[in-house]
Amino acid sequence: QVQLAESGGGSVQAGGSLRLTCVASGLADSSNCMGWFRQAPGKEREGVAWISTVSTDYASTVKGRFTLSRDIARDTLYLQMDSLQPEDAGVYYCAATSPWFSGQCGTDSATYTFWGQGTQVTVSS
């Protein structure tokens, strides 16, 4: 079975840091795209950062503060979050495309086939 498992969420004060980890299992081949999405209460799910085998991109709201990295061989995704702000709070979800997907990565959630259960991030002001 394909499974994405997130970890690393927690509660921090504004200006603090967290590192999220996502481990994919059950895939015969690596996904072309993996990414992080988040959803705050009362808001729609939004893309945070995403990575292909050759490039990485971020939402404008987190550029310069978040750093995304990927271990392709181990199907593991990391998100280092620094200078966290209350606006960053929410449930963070890891997502991955099917191994045979060869299109462009992006913020369209429909692109991603597999999703984790989410890990909660709380930032106090």
Side-chain angles (χ1 to χ4, degrees), residues 39-109:
Q39 187 168 23
K43 293 186 176 181
E44 296 182 355
R45 186 173 300 183
E46 62 177 347
V48 177
W50 50 100
I51 187 169
S52 69
T53 56
V54 297
S55 63
T56 306
D57 209 350
Y58 304 85
S60 60
T61 52
V62 305
K63 284 185 177 180
R65 299 187 297 115
F66 291 10
T67 303
L68 183 66
S69 60
R70 180 183 183 182
D71 185 337
I72 296 177
R74 300 184 183 278
D75 284 331
T76 302
L77 191 69
Y78 305 93
L79 184 66
Q80 178 66 43
M81 305 186 295
D82 297 320
S83 300
L84 283 163
Q85 303 171 6
E87 297 78 33
D88 296 316
V91 178
Y92 282 68
Y93 298 90
C94 178
T97 58
S98 298
W100 53 89
F101 178 76
S102 60
Q104 295 182 351
C105 306
T107 60
D108 185 359
S109 61

Side-chain angles (χ1 to χ4, degrees), residues 27-42:
L27 293 172
D29 299 291
S30 298
S31 297
N32 182 51
C33 309
M34 295 188 72
W36 288 97
F37 292 74
R38 69 187 181 189
Q39 187 168 23

